[in-house]
Structures are given as C-alpha cells and as structure tokens.
C-alpha cells in the first residue's frame, strides 16, 4: 500500500466521522459545526488532485522520518533517539 492510498483512506475516514458527528439524523450527532471539518478535508482532497504538494503526504513523510519528534526512531535494541 503506497502513501497516497493511506492518505486517501485517512481522509475518507475523517469525512465519514465528521459527517456522522455533524448530521442531525445521525445517532452520533454532536454539532452542525463538524460539517466545516468535512468541507476542510474535502477541499484538501480537491487541492491535492490538482497540485504537486499534498499536505497529507507531507505530514506522513515528516512523521515517518521522525522530523517532528513525535515518532521515535528505533535503533539497535529499540533505543529511542532524543528529539
């Protein structure tokens, strides 16, 4: 599975989750303001189809490389590197 597919799966799950939280007919309804999140994710998907820069892929590569200091780098003996 390549990175592009992972980003689309995550974006699709965010859209489904935000729709379930933002539509009044849903049993998980919280607030209509969750529909703004749906629009935001949809706009990012739309933009990534036309541009060469994809925010989701960029963030995933930053996390995978450990540049953001969130994901520890595993070395010999599973020792953690300091960020």
């Amino acid at each position: 599975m390549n990175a592009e597919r992972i980003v689309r799966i995550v974006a699709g799950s965010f859209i489904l989750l935000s729709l379930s939280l933002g539509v009044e007919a849903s049993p998980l309804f919280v607030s209509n303001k969750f529909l703004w999140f749906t629009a935001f994710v949809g706009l990012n998907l739309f933009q990534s189809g036309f541009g060469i820069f994809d925010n989701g892929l960029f963030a995933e590569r930053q996390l995978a490389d450990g540049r953001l200091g969130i994901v520890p780098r595993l070395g010999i003996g599973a020792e953690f590197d300091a960020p």
Side-chain angles (χ1 to χ4, degrees), residues 55-67:
N55 296 329
L57 286 175
F58 176 74
E60 181 184 348
R61 288 185 184 132
Q62 295 293 318
L63 285 171
D65 292 343
R67 293 183 195 162

Side-chain angles (χ1 to χ4, degrees), residues 69-83:
I70 297 171
V71 177
R73 298 179 188 174
L74 299 177
I76 298 173
E79 298 170 358
F80 294 93
D81 291 341

Side-chain angles (χ1 to χ4, degrees), residues 21-76:
L21 295 173
V23 175
E24 292 181 15
S26 170
L28 301 174
F29 174 74
V30 175
S31 172
N32 287 335
K33 297 187 186 209
F34 277 102
L35 297 176
W36 285 106
F37 185 68
T38 305
F40 174 74
V41 173
L43 183 64
N44 277 329
L45 282 173
F46 183 76
Q47 177 265 332
S48 71
F50 290 105
I52 58 172
F53 181 74
D54 186 359
N55 296 329
L57 286 175
F58 176 74
E60 181 184 348
R61 288 185 184 132
Q62 295 293 318
L63 285 171
D65 292 343
R67 293 183 195 162
L68 297 178
I70 297 171
V71 177
R73 298 179 188 174
L74 299 177
I76 298 173

